[in-house]
Amino acid sequence: MVTKGLRAGNVYDANCPTRLVLDRIADKWSVLVLGLLAHEPIRFNELRRRIDGISQKVLAQALRQLERDGLVNRKVTPTVPVTVEYSITPLGRTLSKTVDALSAWAEKHFSDVQRAQQAYDRQAAR
Amino acid sequence: MVTKGLRAGNVYDANCPTRLVLDRIADKWSVLVLGLLAHEPIRFNELRRRIDGISQKVLAQALRQLERDGLVNRKVTPTVPVTVEYSITPLGRTLSKTVDALSAWAEKHFSDVQRAQQAYDRQAAR
DNA sequence: CAGAATCCAGCTCGATACTG
DNA sequence: CAGTATCGAGCTGGATTCTG
């Protein structure tokens, strides 16, 4: 049951709006898309090409979410065929900064993580 | 097949080790668990109670991943019944800082996101 | 208390085909 | 070019039961 006077601060409550947002942005594709758009506007198929392994369906979904959340803009140019350019919004830019920190952490520490995994797996093997 | 001379920098390559790490940590449960353990060690059922909506199965999975990645410690005390305490590792602590930034962003901007969603949905209704 | 094991419904995702 | 629509395979995750 949802408490009426629910405070926004408790991220650990499933009904907390903040957690609804967190669930959305703690997604690998969003992280990657935002990271790319932070540098420059990019069109659909170019994004698809740059993000190895993403399918057209999932990319379309991710972009729609990001647009709905006000994090990216979608600009349609009615050429033939049409071109659609995605760019980051001011709000999206504030997020991309913390998201960059996440990527940076991964780059810096992946070897530590790999070592930990190998140690763990050796242990589990017995 | 993983290319031998693969550089660590390209997060947008599916075979990049960094992205393997990123995929793992860009997960809502990991974010929440790390956020709690950053403050104090916590036992299994207590974590379960504090994280609203997580099932025992998923929590166990998340914790095993985090332990394997070297981000949390698992300490078993052979009382009857046993108690298992999870705590954050030094490596985990470096991550929890950037992860906190993510939570903070969500808390700070969720109203902006909600407004954007409502505007988007009004638009889509027509 | 802290899980592992089982079972199964539901959702996700990729592949494919089609459209403005 | 930038998608949408449809359709299965498969993975995810909840509920339940059982254990040291």
Side-chain angles (χ1 to χ4, degrees), chain A residues 11-58:
Chain A
V11 211
Y12 296 96
D13 186 326
N15 298 117
C16 170
T18 301
R19 199 166 112 182
L20 297 177
V21 174
L22 192 59
D23 291 355
R24 187 77 41 80
I25 63 182
D27 162 63
K28 62 173 179 174
W29 299 123
S30 303
V31 168
L32 295 173
V33 169
L34 275 181
L36 284 173
L37 295 183
H39 299 308
E40 54 183 338
I42 310 179
R43 291 187 300 162
F44 186 85
N45 278 337
E46 178 64 17
L47 276 171
R48 184 151 155 48
R49 250 170 273 127
R50 290 212 210 170
I51 303 178
D52 190 38
I54 198 169
S55 73
Q56 128 278 121
K57 179 182 178 180
V58 170

Side-chain angles (χ1 to χ4, degrees), chain B residues 53 55-58 61 82:
Chain B
S55 72
Q56 131 278 120
K57 179 181 176 178
V58 170
Q61 284 174 350
V82 296

Side-chain angles (χ1 to χ4, degrees), chain A residues 26 52 68-69 105 117 121, chain B residues 19 26 68-69 94 117 121:
Chain A
D52 190 38
R68 187 172 109 97
D69 292 348
W105 186 94
Q117 289 176 350
D121 293 345
Chain B
R19 199 166 112 182
R68 188 172 108 98
D69 291 348
T94 68
Q117 289 176 350
D121 293 344

Side-chain angles (χ1 to χ4, degrees), chain A residues 8-15 17-29 31-36 50-54 64-65 67-71 91-92 94-96 98-99 101-103 105-110 112-114 116-118 120-121, chain B residues 8-15 17-29 31-36 50-54 64-65 67-71 91-92 94-96 98-99 101-103 105-110 112-114 116-118 120-121:
Chain A
N10 184 13
V11 211
Y12 296 96
D13 186 326
N15 298 117
T18 301
R19 199 166 112 182
L20 297 177
V21 174
L22 192 59
D23 291 355
R24 187 77 41 80
I25 63 182
D27 162 63
K28 62 173 179 174
W29 299 123
V31 168
L32 295 173
V33 169
L34 275 181
L36 284 173
R50 290 212 210 170
I51 303 178
D52 190 38
I54 198 169
R64 216 180 307 132
Q65 290 282 8
E67 189 196 359
R68 187 172 109 97
D69 292 348
L71 301 172
L91 181 60
T94 67
L95 177 56
S96 79
T98 87
V99 146
L102 207 59
S103 298
W105 186 94
E107 282 199 33
K108 186 172 176 188
H109 294 284
F110 84 89
D112 296 330
V113 171
Q114 282 194 322
Q117 289 176 350
Q118 288 162 9
Y120 183 94
D121 293 345
Chain B
N10 185 13
V11 210
Y12 296 95
D13 185 326
N15 297 118
T18 301
R19 199 166 112 182
L20 297 178
V21 174
L22 193 58
D23 292 355
R24 188 77 40 80
I25 62 182
D27 163 63
K28 63 173 175 171
W29 299 123
V31 168
L32 295 172
V33 169
L34 275 180
L36 284 174
R50 292 213 209 169
I51 303 178
D52 190 39
I54 198 169
R64 216 180 308 132
Q65 291 281 7
E67 189 197 356
R68 188 172 108 98
D69 291 348
L71 301 173
L91 180 60
T94 68
L95 176 56
S96 80
T98 86
V99 147
L102 207 59
S103 299
W105 186 93
E107 282 198 34
K108 186 173 178 186
H109 294 285
F110 83 90
D112 296 331
V113 172
Q114 281 192 324
Q117 289 176 350
Q118 288 162 10
Y120 183 94
D121 293 344

